[in-house]
Amino acid sequence: MTIPNTMKAVHLHDYTEGFEHLTVEEVPVPQPGPGEVLVKMAASPINPSDLMLISGIYGFRKDLPAVPGFEGSGTVVAKGPGLLPHLRVGSRVTVGSQRDEDGTWAQYTVAKGMMTLPFNKSLGFEQAAALVVNPLTAYAMVDDVKRSGARAFMQTAAAGTLGGMLWRVGKASGLKVINIVRRAEQVADLRAEGRAYVLNSSEDDFDDRLAALAKELQATIALDAVAGEMVGRLVAALPRGGRVVVYGNLSGANVSAAPGQFIFRDKRVEGFWLSQWINDISLVRLLSVWRKVQGDASFRTPVRARYALDDINEALRTYSEQMSGGKVMLRPDGELSG
Ligand SMILES: NC(=O)c1ccc[n+]([C@@H]2O[C@H](COP(=O)([O-])OP(=O)(O)OC[C@H]3O[C@@H](n4cnc5c(N)ncnc54)[C@H](OP(=O)(O)O)[C@@H]3O)[C@@H](O)[C@H]2O)c1
């Protein structure tokens, strides 16, 4: 395969709110170094973590200018020195980008061989592009719920992509799931999917209904992506000894909760970060989970729109205006028909 000298890549030049500051630039195709491969990118989703990175509020900042994009898929077309790069050449891989690397919103990206995982071809590039961030998080958090001995859990942002996975994986594990959304139409959509317990946090009686349902189903864990005052509402609704796991900050607000819930009712709040979870588990376990998320339809990602790299700002606007209903997928390969 002929590799061109230059490529298109999305560039972030400063950490400010909004998306108009992203540019698409023609830059040299990067060269893989020792232990690295060059991936010709096919697809890459826009995730909330990308919005956080662009706004400068993610867990770290990349040196600027930087190419955003935490995950994606493509084909390994060149290698640097090393056995793993040699083994990867020609493979279709899912690729994840790290703090010190450029990301996946480009026609080509260099990645450490260790950060590329071959996937089952039947999945296609789009499903493979979104096979790390949300599926591994869904797996890890439901596994945590099961290990805790809980029979049920509640979750916010339930109409989102990860919310769908958590429900499907939880249900398949025999857990009852209380789904919390913020709009009436989302209640109807989730009920139509077969979700038995759906509550709208915008309704006046939400807090009472949530507490009653948590008691009835013995939901002792809340998985929360909203943060802000929602955490205090979840803490209050949980039975004595309950736990909130905050894994997102969609509200952009600091967590607040009544201290008496922790002092007198033995409840607690903690965090979850996939990067830490991956660091903490063995390679053998990671590969076993990787096989699981490829083979189980519960981990599939609905896609509702596709954009070329040139249209990055429109893609980001489309996504941020409506996050429910499926992912917005960037297609560096220009394949917009899915
Ligand atoms: N900690 C980790 O390691 C980790 C890993 C993976 C994902 N995450 C987090 O998981 C969350 C969900 O990711 P995703 O890919 O599923 O996102 P997604 O598909 O874009 O869905 C986001 C959902 O959140 C809802 N939402 C947005 N802002 C909200 C707010 N202020 N209050 C209540 N609901 C709100 C959206 O509903 P509307 O349509 O009503 O806006 C939508 O249903 C994100 O916060 C992401 O950062 C964390």
Side-chain angles (χ1 to χ4, degrees):
M1 159 175 288
T2 313
I3 300 167
N5 294 324
T6 63
M7 65 170 190
K8 284 181 180 172
V10 175
H11 273 73
L12 175 69
H13 289 278
D14 57 276
Y15 288 110
T16 51
E17 275 195 37
F19 316 120
E20 279 67 24
H21 54 300
L22 289 177
T23 53
V24 179
E25 296 174 18
E26 192 78 24
V27 293
V29 171
Q31 303 289 317
E36 294 178 339
V37 294
L38 179 69
V39 181
K40 186 174 192 298
M41 294 304 300
S44 179
I46 300 176
N47 288 320
S49 50
D50 296 310
L51 302 190
M52 290 174 85
L53 180 95
I54 291 165
S55 309
I57 57 165
Y58 193 64
F60 55 75
R61 287 183 170 197
K62 295 189 178 204
D63 292 339
L64 297 178
V67 179
F70 279 116
E71 65 176 346
S73 66
T75 306
V76 176
V77 290
K79 63 181 170 78
L83 178 62
L84 193 54
H86 177 73
L87 294 174
R88 288 281 189 267
V89 172
S91 300
R92 291 181 172 202
V93 294
T94 287
V95 54
S97 88
Q98 292 180 306
R99 179 187 196 137
D100 55 345
E101 299 168 339
D102 274 336
T104 53
W105 293 357
Q107 288 179 309
Y108 291 84
T109 193
V110 159
K112 295 184 183 70
M114 292 291 291
M115 293 299 290
T116 60
L117 286 169
F119 60 86
N120 186 334
K121 271 189 189 165
S122 65
L123 283 175
F125 280 121
E126 291 190 350
Q127 288 305 317
L131 208 50
V132 172
V133 173
N134 282 335
L136 296 190
T137 300
Y139 175 89
M141 293 201 299
V142 172
D143 189 54
D144 175 43
V145 173
K146 284 193 293 186
R147 284 169 193 260
S148 76
R151 296 181 183 181
F153 65 90
M154 53 180 85
Q155 63 152 338
T156 57
T161 308
L162 182 51
M165 288 182 198
L166 286 167
W167 171 65
R168 292 190 292 273
V169 178
K171 185 168 167 252
S173 303
L175 297 163
K176 299 231 166 56
V177 184
I178 303 172
N179 297 279
I180 300 168
V181 295
R182 61 172 174 173
R183 305 178 206 276
E185 62 270 24
Q186 293 167 336
V187 176
D189 290 347
L190 269 52
R191 291 231 169 96
E193 278 179 23
R195 302 200 208 186
Y197 309 104
V198 189
L199 296 179
N200 181 353
S201 61
S202 305
E203 286 180 358
D204 290 343
D205 60 354
F206 166 74
D207 299 278
D208 291 341
R209 289 181 66 197
L210 182 62
L213 204 48
K215 189 173 174 197
E216 179 193 328
L217 301 179
Q218 297 178 43
T220 48
I221 295 186
L223 305 177
D224 175 57
V226 174
E229 65 175 25
M230 176 54 76
V231 172
R233 300 173 82 180
L234 297 173
V235 168
L238 283 167
R240 174 181 284 277
R243 165 163 73 104
V244 180
V245 180
V246 179
Y247 67 92
N249 187 13
L250 290 164
S251 68
N254 286 339
V255 166
S256 65
Q261 294 288 339
F262 308 116
I263 301 168
F264 304 117
R265 309 236 338 128
D266 192 27
K267 301 181 190 177
R268 61 187 194 276
V269 178
E270 62 190 46
F272 172 87
W273 191 26
L274 179 64
S275 300
Q276 189 62 49
W277 183 83
I278 290 175
N279 278 339
D280 290 347
I281 64 170
S282 68
L283 184 59
V284 172
R285 177 144 187 246
L286 182 60
L287 292 176
S288 148
V289 177
W290 181 243
R291 274 194 296 278
K292 165 119 187 103
V293 299
Q294 285 187 80
D296 185 340
S298 298
F299 295 99
R300 296 296 163 265
T301 297
V303 177
R304 72 180 168 91
R306 297 171 179 85
Y307 287 89
L309 282 183
D310 278 334
D311 298 321
I312 180 63
N313 291 316
E314 194 189 333
L316 285 165
R317 244 189 322 276
T318 300
Y319 175 58
S320 59
E321 280 167 14
Q322 187 207 314
M323 299 173 105
S324 300
K327 280 287 168 202
V328 171
M329 192 67 71
L330 293 176
R331 293 299 308 241
D333 62 358
E335 184 54 73
L336 302 182
S337 56

